[in-house]
Amino acid sequence: MSYYFAIIGTLDNPLFEYEFGTAKQGGDGIARFAEQARHMNQFIVHSSLDIVEEVQWGSGQMYLKCIDRYYNNYVSCFMTGGNVKFLLLHAPSTPSTNTTRASTSIAANPTSPQTEEAIKQFFGEVYENWVKTIMNPFYNVNAEVKSPIFRSRVVAAGKKYL
Amino acid sequence: MASSQPVKPPVASQSQTQRTSQPGLKYPSNGKSIYNRALNRSQKQELSQASFAYLFGEMVSYAQKRVTGIQDLEKRLNIQGHPVGLKLLDLLLYREPPRTQTRPLHIIALLQFITTTLWRHLFSRPADALEKSSNPDTPEEYMISDNEPLVNQYISVPKEMNQLNCAAYVAGIIEGACDGAGFAARVTAHSVGKGEEGELWPGKTVFLVKFQPEVVEREAFLGR
């Protein structure tokens, strides 16, 4: 499974981006988007922002689950109190020959409850670090997050849960 | 809202290479950064009111330096409070127990969050009243009253500036929290109950929260 994670500000501006692959089931943590599809990730995530605005007023939950799908790309969303969106695009790798073993893994079932739960935990951890970031008195709303420590925390959360 | 945008700009690209070190930035050698601090550790701690009063006095005199009038001064105080409200909104939601950790979707839910959770965090007590404007012409107005604003306790306003209420800073905090939650509003602080001798709450302040028309429209659309 390959992932593309983006944090989108209140003006639909990107604040943070990170691309990674699954580290579970012997994954090496490297994103495997097809070369001709990779540049589409940003467009897919951006187009799902419209869906986010519809869904966000339906439920007060922060984790809005999987909200959008574009062919084999699934987009999950987490909305912070300050209307900042965490969007995770997950694209399951094309089914391998040995499907029997992989059928229960979160990589093969993008909408299963296990996957939802794993993504929720990932978002939860990112949210904690996000709150720490915005509590920085020198951080202004909608500013890009450049801290390498924040990045390494997101990398660690991705390794841990996805 | 975004659906009305004709053209979507593509998400700005950013190099995939990991930033390992950036020249000019210094990191503490012991590895302790803001990311190593627990967010709930200082939850129950309180600050000295004397030091707050001193700092706040300095903030007011700083804001007063280059202003033309009282309205301008209040606006500056409001701007100083705005980011505080934005930040507190997320911090306090984060501290809510997971089951009730929900974003406010309605005006009432938001204002209740402000008058109880936010007020308790800032002043260790809830606000004294929350009212909706009884005037049918202004359904977008709500009033939060505080009988004795903590920020005004050591502020003496000179007679010629009796229009001034330094709780405009708190109004800015409220406005920041409303704006952050997606309820665009203008919040102003007004002194009431001045004048007569022997008044019970001479410093009583009303925060007038005026939501933008689109917020009211959405509220009507969402229903209760």
Side-chain angles (χ1 to χ4, degrees), chain A residues 91-135:
Chain A
S93 35
T94 39
S96 59
T97 43
N98 117 33
T99 44
T100 45
R101 208 188 130 266
S103 59
T104 53
S105 72
I106 61 167
N109 298 291
T111 49
S112 72
Q114 289 91 330
T115 313
E116 255 175 26
E117 188 56 31
I119 294 175
K120 184 182 182 181
Q121 285 175 317
F122 169 75
F123 278 150
E125 193 148 321
V126 175
Y127 184 45
E128 181 183 340
N129 287 300
W130 176 254
V131 176
K132 288 176 182 173
T133 303
I134 61 166
M135 287 310 285

Side-chain angles (χ1 to χ4, degrees), chain A residues 21-104:
Chain A
T22 187
K24 298 263 167 178
Q25 263 111 18
D28 50 7
I30 297 169
R32 288 206 168 65
F33 291 111
E35 208 37 63
Q36 62 267 45
R38 197 169 144 218
H39 66 278
M40 295 294 289
N41 290 346
Q42 295 175 337
F43 286 99
I44 297 169
V45 164
H46 194 263
S47 72
S48 65
L49 286 175
D50 281 347
I51 319 258
V52 174
E53 292 200 349
E54 278 175 33
V55 180
Q56 74 174 101
W57 298 107
S59 146
Q61 292 299 317
M62 292 196 171
Y63 180 39
L64 299 169
K65 299 187 180 163
C66 191
I67 51 153
D68 195 13
R69 185 186 166 188
Y70 182 78
Y71 293 105
N72 199 26
N73 300 289
Y74 297 81
V75 180
S76 292
C77 177
F78 182 98
M79 185 111 188
T80 73
N83 266 331
V84 171
K85 297 126 199 150
F86 298 171
L87 292 170
L88 182 77
L89 179 142
H90 36 121
S93 35
T94 39
S96 59
T97 43
N98 117 33
T99 44
T100 45
R101 208 188 130 266
S103 59
T104 53

Side-chain angles (χ1 to χ4, degrees), chain B residues 41-97:
Chain B
R41 207 188 51 185
S42 55
Q43 195 171 2
K44 299 268 185 277
Q45 281 173 11
E46 292 193 349
L47 289 174
S48 139
Q49 199 188 345
S51 55
F52 173 76
Y54 178 70
L55 264 178
F56 188 67
E58 286 300 311
M59 280 167 64
V60 174
S61 48
Y62 177 80
Q64 205 177 355
K65 263 183 195 148
R66 282 149 295 176
V67 293
T68 47
I70 288 165
Q71 282 209 323
D72 206 12
L73 173 55
E74 287 193 337
K75 194 174 163 207
R76 272 172 184 266
L77 285 170
N78 190 300
I79 290 169
Q80 286 183 340
H82 195 273
V84 178
L86 274 178
K87 284 159 202 258
L88 280 182
L89 176 71
D90 256 319
L91 178 71
L92 296 175
L93 280 175
Y94 172 82
R95 284 179 180 171
E96 290 280 303

Side-chain angles (χ1 to χ4, degrees), chain A residues 127-149:
Chain A
Y127 184 45
E128 181 183 340
N129 287 300
W130 176 254
V131 176
K132 288 176 182 173
T133 303
I134 61 166
M135 287 310 285
N136 181 349
F138 298 106
Y139 180 80
N140 293 321
V141 64
N142 284 332
E144 191 189 335
V145 178
K146 292 181 179 156
S147 161
I149 302 176

Side-chain angles (χ1 to χ4, degrees), chain B residues 122-142:
Chain B
L122 291 174
F123 312 123
S124 329
R125 62 181 173 82
D128 293 302
L130 167 62
E131 292 157 277
K132 188 182 192 309
S133 164
S134 54
N135 185 349
D137 297 334
T138 54
E140 77 279 17
E141 289 185 358
Y142 290 80

